[in-house]
Amino acid sequence: MRRETFDTVILGAGAAGMMCAIHAAARGGRVLIFDHARNPGEKIRISGGGRCNFTNIGATARTFLSGNPHFAKSALGRYTAQHFIALVEKHGIAYHEKTLGQLFCDRSARDIIAMLLQEMAGAGCELRLSTTLERIERSEAGFTVTLGGERPAIVDCRHFVVACGGKSIPKMGATGLGYQLARQFGLAVTETRPALVPLTFGEDVLAGFREIAGVAVDVRVSCGKTAFEEALLFTHRGLSGPAILQISSYWRETQPIRIALLPSTDMFALLCAAKRENGRRSISTALGEILPKRLAARLAQVQGWSCTLGEATDRKLATIAATLHGWELHPIGTEGYRTAEVTLGGVDTAGLDSRTMEARAVAGLYFIGEVVDVTGWLGGYNFQWAWSSGWAAGTAIAERAA
């Protein structure tokens, strides 16, 4: 089998891996980045409806979940959203802010992939696709890596970077390989679970949701002390939409979620005004002027709000308003890794250096991106973590090479 030598070998040609490769090679280091997929950046390609929500201008450590809430501060503080935006602008990629600081490509997510590939080529990185990791072992120089696939080889390297992501979207080849490698080298791995994922419900609740599948409404969804105000979408399988995906990262089995429909609207005041205007209308009809009509009709049916506005006392209207702003539901699970955008949990940050992303007990071994126990909110935050953590590791490697 062919034997080769590189300064750095990176497992995973996704956002974090490619970013790391660019900076690890910045000072002339020989860098090999490989992936089992046929194309690089597949998660980038499908993200944001094909337009890639490539960062969020509000990204700070508080917008991430981790066993150590302070761990992400170093990388995020030293390589910010503005740094990545400058790179995007350097390549002439047009973009726009959609909402809540979320930045998207005007044209296509492929522009971000092309940008990263161009930067890697300019830095002299070698990219190998359809290539698998067969084995990795410690050696005197660092690591000996056995590669399989279209171009089998044994590669010696000083630095090895794990950037292969988590378990989300297995149809694209996602596995728990990164966690296996962490354990192989003695690093702890925290509990992993699907995050940014739709919630599912029992048949008693789901039957009602199917009748209003496709209906979207602005809500505030809370679980415990955490709440998000965005859109909710009813589906044939349960609840989805940005608000639900956000809260799914905080929800745990047996916990209820609370939904406030149109949280910025004074429902009681609107119902009282509707009663004064025309008391002969039904509760359902009046709610249909505030909420999506199918949702209003379903709520009135389930809650037994069959009387007219004129027949309802102010106390009754106050109770209805309170229900609309405090609807409690009990999910039974999530749709799992099949549709989860990211994996919550991962390589325990206690075993990593927050400035370099290097394993504290294994010199030359790095973990970056989704494989680490740092999980962002919905809206470009996880891409920013990929850029920041990839930059941190790549820069540290380049400085050592110099």
Side-chain angles (χ1 to χ4, degrees), residues 196-231:
L196 301 183
V197 62
L199 297 176
T200 57
F201 296 81
E203 184 59 34
D204 55 334
V205 175
L206 198 56
F209 287 172
R210 292 194 185 103
E211 296 181 15
I212 51 177
V215 170
V217 61
D218 289 335
V219 300
R220 180 175 62 249
V221 178
S222 59
C223 181
K225 296 181 179 180
T226 304
F228 292 94
E229 288 193 22
E230 290 192 65

Side-chain angles (χ1 to χ4, degrees), residues 138 141-143 158-160 358-366 400:
R138 294 298 302 275
F143 302 92
R158 181 180 174 190
H159 309 281
F160 188 82
E358 185 177 20
R360 294 183 184 278
V362 187
L365 180 65
Y366 301 77
R400 286 190 177 180

Side-chain angles (χ1 to χ4, degrees), residues 323-341:
T323 300
L324 296 173
H325 279 166
W327 188 16
E328 187 170 286
L329 291 168
H330 290 261
I332 62 170
T334 74
E335 289 190 9
Y337 290 114
R338 180 180 63 84
T339 58
E341 295 200 12

Side-chain angles (χ1 to χ4, degrees), residues 1-6 30 32 126 128 145 147 151-157:
M1 189 178 289
R2 179 178 177 181
R3 190 139 198 159
E4 303 173 271
T5 301
F6 287 85
R30 292 196 69 217
L32 168 66
E126 181 173 339
R128 294 183 192 175
V145 183
L147 302 179
R151 209 170 141 189
I154 295 176
V155 179
D156 295 306
C157 62

Side-chain angles (χ1 to χ4, degrees), residues 58-64 69-84 354-355 357 384-385 387-389 391-392:
T60 65
R62 71 173 187 82
T63 57
F64 291 82
H70 303 291
F71 181 83
K73 288 181 179 179
S74 178
L76 292 171
R78 290 181 297 131
Y79 191 89
T80 68
Q82 294 304 323
H83 287 104
F84 192 77
S354 64
R355 280 191 66 82
M357 308 304 296
Q384 186 56 46
W385 172 244
W387 314 135
S388 296
S389 61
W391 174 90

